[in-house]
Amino acid sequence: VQKPPRVCWVAAAAALRDGLRAYTALHYLAPTAPGNAVLVLDGASPLGTIVMQLAQHRGAKVICTAHSLEDKQFLERLRPPVARVIDVSHGKVDVAESCLEETGGLGVDIVLDAGVKLYSAEDESSSKSHLLPHKHDIITLLGVGGHWITTERNLQLDPPDSHSLFLKGATVSFLNDEIWNLSNVQQGKYLDILLVGSWNSDCSLEPQLDEPIPLYEAKASMEIVQKNQARKRQVIQF
């Protein structure tokens, strides 16, 4: 696939996977239209940043959550600005209430999560779980006909959850960017996404990127990535 001339190699490498996932989410799983309200959880993550920019490019109203003060400041500096940044770093903010307030009680059209709480607080073992909304909160803030795109591979929906989704006519989709390679029929769509590499041909989408890393630091960088300690995309430059 030919790289758009105006996009540098480092930015292309950093944005490729997140761009693929964002385009899959907002084009195939939940087609985004002007005027849609889109909630992006953990908006300052590499994926969240690209999803927000792509949603705004399509004319959507974007709401996002911030996991730290640094993330909040970063998100508030974005141009064009997002409609609302919800700071969940202290765990005192009700995400569902904030979204319903921002949308006049109608709820959001599309939600892209960064993981969800499946159980009560005392049953959660992850140290980051307090930053994630409960699955009930996401169902609550969804509007009629809304789309919930989840990255939670072990999502468990109980009968009351399904009933709530049924009453709203809402859908749940799983974001798995590997699916395009699982079927020969789907590979044409995969190539289409990459060729639409025009999605960033005008440099309108900027990835969350660390400084390029020299080859001799690749092993240390890989260890950081494998431990999920990297908040920005790591690119090895030869």
Side-chain angles (χ1 to χ4, degrees):
V1 176
Q2 186 174 4
K3 178 183 70 65
R6 292 180 56 191
V7 179
C8 71
W9 287 105
V10 172
L16 188 60
R17 187 180 181 201
D18 291 323
L20 171 65
R21 299 175 80 194
Y23 196 85
T24 298
L26 300 185
H27 183 78
Y28 287 106
L29 300 182
T32 309
N36 282 161
V38 178
L39 170 64
V40 181
L41 298 170
D42 193 11
S45 65
L47 173 60
T49 303
I50 295 292
V51 169
M52 289 192 302
Q53 292 176 77
L54 184 57
Q56 288 182 313
H57 184 69
R58 294 191 166 193
K61 173 182 180 179
V62 175
I63 306 168
C64 61
T65 63
H67 285 188
S68 67
L69 178 59
E70 183 182 358
D71 286 353
K72 181 174 182 288
Q73 293 171 341
F74 166 76
L75 292 168
E76 289 176 339
R77 290 195 300 267
L78 290 178
R79 292 294 179 269
V82 298
R84 185 165 185 167
V85 178
I86 305 171
D87 186 357
V88 299
S89 58
H90 302 296
K92 299 177 182 179
V93 177
D94 189 320
V95 175
E97 182 180 323
S98 299
C99 289
L100 291 172
E101 178 185 328
E102 186 64 37
T103 57
L106 298 176
V108 301
D109 300 293
I110 299 170
V111 178
L112 176 65
D113 69 35
V116 294
K117 287 182 185 175
L118 300 177
Y119 314 104
S120 58
E122 57 269 19
D123 295 330
E124 294 283 356
S125 58
S126 171
S127 60
K128 293 184 178 179
S129 64
H130 71 283
L131 299 173
L132 303 176
H134 196 281
K135 58 182 178 179
H136 297 155
D137 295 330
I138 293 182
I139 294 172
T140 299
L141 60 81
L142 267 179
V144 172
H147 302 278
W148 174 9
I149 305 170
T150 182
T151 59
E152 179 60 61
R153 63 184 63 190
N154 297 315
L155 180 67
Q156 176 181 330
L157 295 177
D158 302 315
D161 302 327
S162 297
H163 184 62
S164 296
L165 291 168
F166 170 78
L167 291 176
K168 293 186 176 188
T171 61
V172 179
S173 301
F174 292 85
L175 180 57
N176 175 10
D177 49 294
E178 303 294 343
I179 58 171
W180 304 118
N181 293 319
L182 298 179
S183 166
N184 290 335
V185 176
Q186 301 293 341
Q187 287 180 12
K189 293 181 180 178
Y190 178 69
L191 290 174
D192 177 61
I193 296 173
L194 294 181
L195 287 170
V196 178
S198 52
W199 51 258
N200 198 27
S201 60
D202 58 356
C203 302
S204 58
L205 306 184
E206 297 182 6
Q208 268 276 57
L209 174 65
D210 256 338
E211 290 295 323
I213 299 165
L215 184 60
Y216 62 83
E217 292 183 7
K219 182 179 178 181
S221 176
M222 189 63 181
E223 290 173 352
I224 293 174
V225 171
Q226 290 175 330
K227 293 176 182 177
N228 292 320
Q229 295 176 344
R231 282 293 287 170
K232 296 183 179 181
R233 282 288 171 251
Q234 312 286 308
V235 176
I236 309 300
Q237 190 166 38
F238 291 95

